[in-house]
């Protein structure tokens, strides 16, 4: 839950963190007195150029890596099948585009003016350009305000205008063509994730600023504020997992696929619980079509077929939830889930952290730190999955029947949503495995996705101006605070 494929919001955070630090870069340049690649660029244009190049790199690099991996996999498959019988059927080739043509397409695609690099240049460069004339206007018309107030107003308004225009660039990109002869419906919402990312960061920066002003002598967070980050993560995770289980269309396809890979659950079990919620599968009612669903799962697991018949098994035993691991013990199954998911996550986290440590020449101490970070993150994900499954078992077997009863109506209600809700509420507290400093970043990572599950991912284009205004105002807050107090914007902390 805490780590997934990079999204536009995190790419924007990296771009802002690396582009909007003119004072710090000037100080470093004066101290080192070494030539930099952008010394020949006018100072006013440097943020724009940096933002565009960083946006282009973050857009193109993942696609180039994916293309290279696909090319190597295709070549290896071709090599292994050269000696096969030519009369044997060969798997279809879904992508026949030559490697060089795909490479040129990716490199040229990042240069399109409606893509993310132009967006980054527009918001960063636009806020830099507009701040100068707006500052002069505020000095002339609002001279009674303090110098700091005029600076803040000019920065905020400059970024608001730049943010509004830059998001319009992304939103103006035409929809991809469809196979149908009818034109696509004019719907908005493609930039919703980016808008919610900016909104949550602005809210966090505002709360942090207000708290620091009221408690200027505070250097560490109080126990109350330390509990806020885990609470936000747990609540956000609950909404995300509920959406993944019952409303998968509310999540981005890549995020939905990643959660499914981590959960490693039989789709028939998910479908059965969804049917319990909709009332299609009812306990105590003879229905051969419903019995065949879990009946096939019982056959695959070597369990009695009657356990999958809702007319006989009220409810179906937890052995089906365990899917052949842990037997009839929910606790053993939870331990197995922890070990299995942690090992799966370690195979992803460990190579990445080791490559980063070696590339930075961190030495043995850095490698040990990378190993510790990978182990902690893997344990977090393992605990997340294990707590979700164990929460389901708690409601179905351990606590639910004792607290609510064992009637058919209660069993239907438990499997109709209460057991999944229990797992959703419990899994997010695995964030306590991570360090306290990481919990805030993880909470801000999942919070926008949780908010997105409460909003329609597509809406009428006539209402798009509302989203654009929210993004522009949020970006203006983040940029203004970042220019004045970088430590109060956690996008800066993530990039350090």
């Amino acid at each position: 839950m805490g780590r997934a494929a990079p999204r536009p919001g995190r790419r924007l955070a990296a771009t802002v963190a690396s582009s909007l630090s003119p004072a710090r870069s000037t100080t470093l340049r004066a101290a080192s007195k070494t030539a930099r690649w952008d010394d020949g660029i006018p100072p006013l244009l440097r943020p724009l150029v940096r933002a565009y190049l960083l946006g282009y790199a973050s857009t193109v690099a993942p696609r180039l890596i994916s293309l290279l991996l696909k090319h190597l996999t295709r070549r290896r498959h071709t090599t292994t099948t050269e000696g096969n019988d030519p009369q044997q059927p060969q798997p279809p080739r879904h992508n026949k585009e030559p490697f060089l043509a795909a490479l040129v397409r990716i490199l040229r695609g990042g240069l399109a003016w409606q893509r993310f690099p132009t967006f980054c240049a527009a918001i960063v460069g636009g806020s830099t350009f507009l701040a100068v004339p707006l500052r002069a206007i505020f000095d002339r018309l609002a001279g009674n305000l303090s110098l700091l107030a005029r600076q803040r107003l000019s920065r905020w308004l400059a970024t608001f205008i730049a943010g509004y225009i830059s998001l319009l660039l992304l939103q103006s990109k035409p929809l991809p063509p469809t196979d149908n002869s009818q034109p696509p419906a004019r719907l908005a919402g493609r930039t919703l994730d980016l808008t919610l990312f900016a909104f949550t960061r602005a809210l966090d920066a505002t709360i942090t600023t207000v708290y620091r002003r009221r408690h200027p002598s505070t250097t560490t967070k109080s126990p109350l504020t330390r509990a806020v980050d885990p609470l936000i993560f747990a609540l956000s995770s609950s909404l995300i997992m509920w959406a993944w289980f019952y409303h998968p269309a509310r999540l981005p396809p890549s995020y939905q696929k990643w959660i499914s890979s981590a959960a490693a659950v039989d789709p028939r079990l998910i479908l059965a619980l969804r049917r319990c919620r909709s009332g299609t599968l009812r306990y105590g009612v003879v229905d051969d079509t419903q019995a065949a669903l879990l009946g096939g799962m019982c056959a695959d697991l070597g369990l009695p077929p009657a356990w999958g018949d809702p007319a006989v098994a009220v409810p179906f035993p937890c052995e089906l939830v365990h899917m052949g691991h842990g037997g009839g013990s929910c606790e053993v199954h939870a331990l197995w889930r922890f070990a299995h998911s942690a090992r799966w996550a370690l195979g992803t986290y460990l190579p990445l952290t080791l490559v980063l440590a070696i590339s930075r020449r961190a030495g043995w101490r850095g490698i040990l730190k990378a190993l510790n970070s990978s182990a902690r993150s893997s344990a977090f994900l393992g605990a997340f999955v294990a707590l979700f499954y164990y929460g389901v078992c708690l409601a179905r077997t351990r606590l639910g029947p004792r607290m609510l009863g064992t009637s058919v109506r209660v069993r239907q209600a438990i499997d109709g949503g209460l057991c999944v809700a229990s797992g959703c509420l419990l899994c997010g507290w695995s964030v306590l495995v991570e360090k306290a400093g990481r919990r805030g970043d993880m909470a801000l990572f999942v919070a926008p996705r949780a908010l997105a599950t409460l909003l329609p991912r597509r809406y009428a284009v006539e209402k798009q101006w509302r989203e654009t205004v929210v993004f522009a105002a949020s970006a203006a807050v983040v940029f203004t605070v970042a220019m004045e107090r970088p430590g109060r914007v956690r996008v800066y902390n993530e990039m350090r």
Side-chain angles (χ1 to χ4, degrees):
M1 289 296 304
R3 302 182 183 180
R7 303 299 298 167
R10 295 184 72 83
R11 287 189 279 155
L12 176 61
T15 305
V16 172
S18 301
S19 302
L20 285 182
S21 55
R24 182 164 52 187
S25 62
T26 302
T27 303
L28 292 176
R29 186 181 294 109
S32 61
K33 296 183 179 181
T34 57
R36 293 172 58 93
W37 65 271
D38 58 352
D39 283 343
I41 302 175
L44 194 62
L45 294 177
R46 286 172 191 167
L48 183 150
V49 175
R50 293 176 193 162
Y52 185 86
L53 293 178
L54 288 169
Y56 182 82
S58 63
T59 300
V60 172
R63 290 176 171 83
L64 291 178
I65 294 175
S66 177
L67 173 65
L68 181 61
L69 293 176
K70 289 180 180 179
H71 180 69
L72 294 176
T73 302
R74 190 184 309 158
R75 289 195 60 181
R76 184 174 58 183
H77 174 75
T78 303
T79 303
T80 55
T81 56
E82 283 181 352
N84 293 347
D85 187 352
Q87 296 182 355
Q88 293 292 331
Q90 300 294 326
R93 294 185 178 182
H94 299 286
N95 185 12
K96 296 182 179 181
E97 186 179 18
F99 176 80
L100 185 59
L103 177 64
V104 173
R105 175 179 54 81
I106 292 174
L107 294 176
R108 293 178 60 182
L111 299 175
W113 67 277
Q114 293 169 312
R115 298 295 297 273
F116 187 72
T118 308
F119 162 81
C120 293
I123 189 172
V124 174
S127 61
T128 305
F129 281 122
L130 293 174
V132 177
L134 287 176
R135 170 70 184 279
I137 293 175
F138 279 111
D139 288 342
R140 181 180 296 272
L141 300 180
N144 57 329
L145 296 177
S146 64
L147 176 62
L148 181 60
R150 296 197 299 271
Q151 288 178 343
R152 289 173 177 171
L153 286 174
S154 60
R155 289 171 184 168
W156 190 94
L157 185 57
T159 309
F160 180 89
I161 297 173
Y164 196 97
I165 296 175
S166 62
L167 196 66
L168 287 179
L169 289 176
L170 288 182
Q171 293 170 342
S172 64
K173 182 181 177 181
L175 294 173
T178 60
D179 297 333
N180 302 328
S181 58
Q182 298 180 353
R186 297 184 69 243
L187 296 177
R190 68 169 65 186
T191 57
L192 181 62
D193 291 327
L194 187 60
T195 299
L196 293 176
F197 172 87
F199 175 76
T200 54
R201 296 290 168 152
L203 185 61
D204 177 70
T206 302
I207 294 175
T208 302
T209 300
V210 172
Y211 181 83
R212 293 285 180 85
R213 286 179 179 176
R214 293 187 176 182
H215 307 276
S217 60
T218 303
T219 56
T220 58
K221 290 186 176 182
S222 65
L224 178 61
T225 54
R226 282 183 178 272
V228 171
D229 290 336
L231 180 62
I232 292 176
F233 183 88
L235 293 178
S236 300
S237 299
S238 300
L239 292 174
I240 292 173
M241 293 304 295
W242 182 268
W244 172 76
F245 211 95
Y246 290 119
H247 309 284
R250 297 182 182 178
L251 296 175
S254 59
Y255 205 56
Q256 179 189 149
K257 182 179 179 181
W258 186 86
I259 296 175
S260 300
S261 300
V265 60
D266 194 311
R268 292 172 292 185
L269 179 62
I270 296 180
L271 182 57
L273 292 176
R274 288 175 179 172
R275 289 180 177 180
C276 284
R277 180 167 179 79
S278 64
T280 306
L281 189 155
R282 293 182 294 170
Y283 286 127
V285 176
V286 178
D287 190 340
D288 294 338
T289 59
Q290 304 303 326
L293 176 63
L294 292 180
M297 188 175 173
C298 290
D300 294 342
L301 297 175
L303 300 175
W307 286 7
D309 190 348
V312 179
V314 184
F316 58 86
C318 256
E319 279 84 344
L320 271 73
V321 178
H322 303 166
M323 293 186 294
H325 305 286
S329 174
C330 299
E331 289 72 22
V332 174
H333 171 251
L335 292 175
W336 182 88
R337 284 288 175 182
F338 173 82
H340 177 268
S341 300
R343 182 177 58 187
W344 176 83
L346 191 64
T348 302
Y349 294 148
L350 184 59
L352 293 176
T353 53
L354 286 179
V355 168
L356 289 175
I358 295 174
S359 63
R360 294 173 180 174
R361 299 179 181 179
W364 287 108
R365 181 173 297 180
I367 292 177
L368 292 176
K369 185 177 180 181
L371 292 174
N372 179 65
S373 175
S374 300
R376 187 184 291 271
S377 297
S378 301
F380 151 75
L381 186 59
F384 188 97
V385 176
L387 287 175
F388 180 81
Y389 275 99
Y390 192 62
V392 172
C393 291
L394 281 177
R396 299 190 77 251
T397 306
R398 293 293 186 255
L399 298 179
R402 297 183 180 182
M403 298 175 61
L404 303 177
T406 58
S407 65
V408 175
R409 181 179 61 83
V410 171
R411 292 291 191 179
Q412 187 75 38
I414 291 176
D415 283 351
L418 292 179
C419 64
V420 175
S422 176
C424 292
L425 292 174
L426 196 60
C427 62
W429 293 102
S430 61
V431 73
L432 297 176
V433 175
E434 286 282 6
K435 293 182 179 180
R438 280 280 303 149
R439 296 169 192 167
D441 295 334
M442 296 172 67
L444 290 178
F445 177 77
V446 298
R449 289 154 178 78
L451 291 176
T453 64
L454 304 177
L455 301 173
R457 297 204 66 84
R458 292 291 182 267
Y459 57 88
V461 72
E462 291 78 12
K463 301 179 180 179
Q464 186 171 258
W465 66 270
R466 302 176 184 177
E467 180 194 341
T468 311
V469 168
V470 171
F471 172 82
S474 301
V477 171
V478 173
F479 275 54
T480 302
V481 176
M483 291 292 292
E484 184 177 343
R485 297 291 178 89
R488 295 182 182 178
V489 181
R490 281 195 258 194
V491 293
Y492 275 82
N493 296 336
E494 288 181 1
M495 298 301 117
R496 293 176 180 175

